[in-house]
PDB file of all heavy atoms in Angstrom:
ATOM      1  N   THR A 512     -32.018 -31.697 -16.871  1.00 94.00           N
ATOM      2  CA  THR A 512     -31.513 -30.844 -17.920  1.00 94.00           C
ATOM      3  C   THR A 512     -30.588 -31.636 -18.879  1.00 94.00           C
ATOM      4  O   THR A 512     -30.647 -31.474 -20.062  1.00 94.00           O
ATOM      5  CB  THR A 512     -30.803 -29.556 -17.364  1.00 94.00           C
ATOM      6  OG1 THR A 512     -31.681 -28.931 -16.456  1.00 94.00           O
ATOM      7  CG2 THR A 512     -30.366 -28.648 -18.434  1.00 94.00           C
ATOM      8  N   GLU A 513     -29.689 -32.434 -18.234  1.00 91.00           N
ATOM      9  CA  GLU A 513     -28.782 -33.316 -19.036  1.00 91.00           C
ATOM     10  C   GLU A 513     -29.677 -34.188 -19.959  1.00 91.00           C
ATOM     11  O   GLU A 513     -29.302 -34.431 -21.178  1.00 91.00           O
ATOM     12  CB  GLU A 513     -27.908 -34.132 -18.183  1.00 91.00           C
ATOM     13  CG  GLU A 513     -26.718 -33.349 -17.615  1.00 91.00           C
ATOM     14  CD  GLU A 513     -25.741 -34.272 -16.948  1.00 91.00           C
ATOM     15  OE1 GLU A 513     -25.808 -35.513 -17.125  1.00 91.00           O
ATOM     16  OE2 GLU A 513     -24.908 -33.763 -16.143  1.00 91.00           O
ATOM     17  N   ALA A 514     -30.671 -34.808 -19.408  1.00 91.00           N
ATOM     18  CA  ALA A 514     -31.542 -35.706 -20.192  1.00 91.00           C
ATOM     19  C   ALA A 514     -32.206 -34.962 -21.376  1.00 91.00           C
ATOM     20  O   ALA A 514     -32.325 -35.531 -22.465  1.00 91.00           O
ATOM     21  CB  ALA A 514     -32.632 -36.382 -19.323  1.00 91.00           C
ATOM     22  N   LEU A 515     -32.656 -33.746 -21.066  1.00 92.00           N
ATOM     23  CA  LEU A 515     -33.268 -32.941 -22.074  1.00 92.00           C
ATOM     24  C   LEU A 515     -32.250 -32.649 -23.261  1.00 92.00           C
ATOM     25  O   LEU A 515     -32.581 -32.610 -24.383  1.00 92.00           O
ATOM     26  CB  LEU A 515     -33.690 -31.630 -21.511  1.00 92.00           C
ATOM     27  CG  LEU A 515     -34.622 -30.670 -22.345  1.00 92.00           C
ATOM     28  CD1 LEU A 515     -35.858 -31.388 -22.802  1.00 92.00           C
ATOM     29  CD2 LEU A 515     -35.001 -29.488 -21.475  1.00 92.00           C
ATOM     30  N   MET A 516     -31.017 -32.365 -22.879  1.00 90.00           N
ATOM     31  CA  MET A 516     -29.939 -32.214 -23.975  1.00 90.00           C
ATOM     32  C   MET A 516     -29.813 -33.370 -24.839  1.00 90.00           C
ATOM     33  O   MET A 516     -29.631 -33.234 -26.035  1.00 90.00           O
ATOM     34  CB  MET A 516     -28.587 -31.997 -23.222  1.00 90.00           C
ATOM     35  CG  MET A 516     -28.433 -30.542 -22.589  1.00 90.00           C
ATOM     36  SD  MET A 516     -26.859 -30.339 -21.725  1.00 90.00           S
ATOM     37  CE  MET A 516     -25.771 -30.254 -23.082  1.00 90.00           C
ATOM     38  N   ARG A 517     -29.979 -34.569 -24.290  1.00 88.00           N
ATOM     39  CA  ARG A 517     -29.783 -35.771 -25.073  1.00 88.00           C
ATOM     40  C   ARG A 517     -30.938 -35.993 -25.967  1.00 88.00           C
ATOM     41  O   ARG A 517     -30.823 -36.650 -27.048  1.00 88.00           O
ATOM     42  CB  ARG A 517     -29.496 -37.055 -24.240  1.00 88.00           C
ATOM     43  CG  ARG A 517     -28.175 -36.918 -23.466  1.00 88.00           C
ATOM     44  CD  ARG A 517     -27.800 -38.156 -22.746  1.00 88.00           C
ATOM     45  NE  ARG A 517     -26.500 -37.878 -22.087  1.00 88.00           N
ATOM     46  CZ  ARG A 517     -26.299 -37.350 -20.906  1.00 88.00           C
ATOM     47  NH1 ARG A 517     -27.426 -37.023 -20.159  1.00 88.00           N
ATOM     48  NH2 ARG A 517     -25.187 -37.167 -20.405  1.00 88.00           N
ATOM     49  N   LYS A 518     -32.110 -35.486 -25.580  1.00 89.00           N
ATOM     50  CA  LYS A 518     -33.304 -35.509 -26.436  1.00 89.00           C
ATOM     51  C   LYS A 518     -33.088 -34.594 -27.612  1.00 89.00           C
ATOM     52  O   LYS A 518     -33.480 -34.817 -28.755  1.00 89.00           O
ATOM     53  CB  LYS A 518     -34.570 -35.101 -25.715  1.00 89.00           C
ATOM     54  CG  LYS A 518     -35.131 -36.218 -24.851  1.00 89.00           C
ATOM     55  CD  LYS A 518     -36.439 -35.768 -24.188  1.00 89.00           C
ATOM     56  CE  LYS A 518     -36.970 -36.917 -23.308  1.00 89.00           C
ATOM     57  NZ  LYS A 518     -38.228 -36.480 -22.570  1.00 89.00           N
ATOM     58  N   ILE A 519     -32.554 -33.334 -27.315  1.00 90.00           N
ATOM     59  CA  ILE A 519     -32.348 -32.278 -28.357  1.00 90.00           C
ATOM     60  C   ILE A 519     -31.356 -32.873 -29.391  1.00 90.00           C
ATOM     61  O   ILE A 519     -31.599 -32.681 -30.600  1.00 90.00           O
ATOM     62  CB  ILE A 519     -31.814 -31.026 -27.714  1.00 90.00           C
ATOM     63  CG1 ILE A 519     -32.836 -30.396 -26.871  1.00 90.00           C
ATOM     64  CG2 ILE A 519     -31.362 -30.009 -28.791  1.00 90.00           C
ATOM     65  CD1 ILE A 519     -32.349 -29.314 -25.933  1.00 90.00           C
ATOM     66  N   TYR A 520     -30.385 -33.516 -28.995  1.00 86.00           N
ATOM     67  CA  TYR A 520     -29.372 -34.048 -29.851  1.00 86.00           C
ATOM     68  C   TYR A 520     -28.788 -35.390 -29.302  1.00 86.00           C
ATOM     69  O   TYR A 520     -28.092 -35.389 -28.263  1.00 86.00           O
ATOM     70  CB  TYR A 520     -28.212 -33.064 -30.079  1.00 86.00           C
ATOM     71  CG  TYR A 520     -27.255 -33.467 -31.293  1.00 86.00           C
ATOM     72  CD1 TYR A 520     -27.731 -33.506 -32.577  1.00 86.00           C
ATOM     73  CD2 TYR A 520     -25.991 -33.921 -31.051  1.00 86.00           C
ATOM     74  CE1 TYR A 520     -26.949 -33.885 -33.645  1.00 86.00           C
ATOM     75  CE2 TYR A 520     -25.156 -34.248 -32.089  1.00 86.00           C
ATOM     76  CZ  TYR A 520     -25.669 -34.280 -33.366  1.00 86.00           C
ATOM     77  OH  TYR A 520     -24.781 -34.621 -34.421  1.00 86.00           O
ATOM     78  N   CYS A 570     -28.998 -25.032 -22.454  1.00 94.00           N
ATOM     79  CA  CYS A 570     -28.975 -26.040 -21.447  1.00 94.00           C
ATOM     80  C   CYS A 570     -27.703 -25.994 -20.682  1.00 94.00           C
ATOM     81  O   CYS A 570     -27.658 -26.046 -19.433  1.00 94.00           O
ATOM     82  CB  CYS A 570     -29.145 -27.470 -22.085  1.00 94.00           C
ATOM     83  SG  CYS A 570     -30.775 -27.747 -22.680  1.00 94.00           S
TER      84      CYS A 570
END
Side-chain angles (χ1 to χ4, degrees):
T512 307
E513 282 190 17
L515 192 56
M516 287 177 72
R517 293 187 182 90
K518 280 185 183 178
I519 294 167
Y520 190 69
C570 287

